[in-house]
Amino acid sequence: MIEIKGLTKKFDDFIALDNIDMAIPKGTAFGLLGSNGAGKSTVLRLISGIYKQESGEILVDGEKVFDNVKVKEKVFFINDETIQFSQFTIKELKDFYKGFYPNFSEEIYKNLSEKIKLPENKKISEFSKGMKRQAIVIIGLSCQTDYLLLDEAFDGLDPTMRIIVKHMLIDAMLDRNLTAIISSHNL
């Protein structure tokens, strides 16, 4: 379970989040909906431990997130931008993340890769926006974390691929009680 209590986050003088409370039960799909600039991405970065809050508390399974490697192994964050992966191939990206996530499953990676059929030795910078999104979803699901955070998860995906990715998420939720937190400004 993720618990957020009295969460406030500032960027200089700008208050991005002001005294936010929420609870996200384990094994659920939780949506963060709002316009651009509403704070959805900031919440996800706080839950994943990328940002540190000014005040309040974020607990994942009863433990604080920031600077806690044990908790961060339970969380995989898929950013809305994939620029940080551009020089990797999907195979190199897989090998990179295997070093950080002890539950990484080669079997899940193989099954999802066969379903999506992305070129394994092509640089991600050469992929379309949708292919980049598919690649990182495959990696995220293969890491077998308890919590998968998806920022604008379906941007760049065509309607058919959206359905396939949604089914992959649902399967992971049913198979291993995954909690998926999905932000979007599109209803």
Side-chain angles (χ1 to χ4, degrees):
M1 171 177 232
I2 295 174
E3 299 171 273
I4 296 175
K5 302 172 188 173
L7 181 66
T8 298
K9 176 63 184 163
K10 296 179 185 178
F11 296 99
D12 297 320
D13 291 336
F14 177 72
I15 301 172
L17 299 171
D18 190 15
N19 198 32
I20 303 293
D21 293 313
M22 81 176 71
I24 303 171
K26 196 148 175 103
T28 62
F30 190 89
L32 295 171
L33 299 174
S35 60
N36 290 330
K40 302 176 304 294
S41 298
T42 301
V43 168
L44 295 178
R45 286 182 176 96
L46 286 158
I47 292 170
S48 63
I50 295 170
Y51 290 164
K52 185 175 182 180
Q53 68 272 21
E54 272 61 45
S55 62
E57 191 172 51
I58 304 167
L59 301 173
V60 174
D61 295 337
E63 295 186 56
K64 292 182 181 184
V65 177
F66 195 78
D67 281 343
N68 187 336
V69 173
K70 183 180 169 193
V71 172
K72 287 183 178 189
E73 288 177 351
K74 296 179 179 186
V75 178
F76 193 94
F77 174 54
I78 298 177
N79 193 0
D80 61 339
E81 294 290 329
T82 55
I83 189 89
Q84 67 272 28
F85 309 124
S86 62
Q87 293 309 308
F88 286 95
T89 64
I90 191 170
K91 185 179 180 315
E92 291 168 340
L93 192 61
K94 170 193 69 134
D95 293 339
F96 175 77
Y97 276 105
K98 275 176 64 174
F100 294 100
Y101 290 93
N103 293 330
F104 191 96
S105 170
E106 286 282 350
E107 181 181 347
I108 290 173
Y109 173 82
K110 182 179 177 221
N111 290 340
L112 295 177
S113 293
E114 287 174 0
K115 194 177 284 189
I116 301 291
K117 294 182 177 65
L118 293 173
E120 206 172 53
N121 294 310
K122 189 176 182 180
K123 295 275 186 204
I124 290 175
S125 61
E126 300 173 37
F127 286 4
S128 70
K129 183 177 182 179
M131 290 168 70
K132 290 174 186 173
R133 180 67 58 185
Q134 294 164 41
I136 194 61
V137 168
I138 288 170
I139 299 296
L141 289 170
S142 298
C143 287
Q144 292 200 102
T145 58
D146 294 335
Y147 302 94
L148 184 63
L149 315 179
L150 301 108
D151 196 7
E152 299 299 341
F154 304 108
D155 275 7
L157 298 179
D158 62 55
T160 302
M161 193 51 64
R162 283 180 189 214
I163 292 169
I164 291 169
V165 169
K166 286 176 186 177
H167 283 145
M168 289 171 19
L169 291 171
I170 291 167
D171 289 345
M173 291 178 70
L174 293 172
D175 291 346
R176 57 184 178 83
N177 206 29
L178 171 71
T179 303
I181 304 170
I182 304 167
S183 79
S184 183
H185 62 271
N186 291 321
L187 294 179

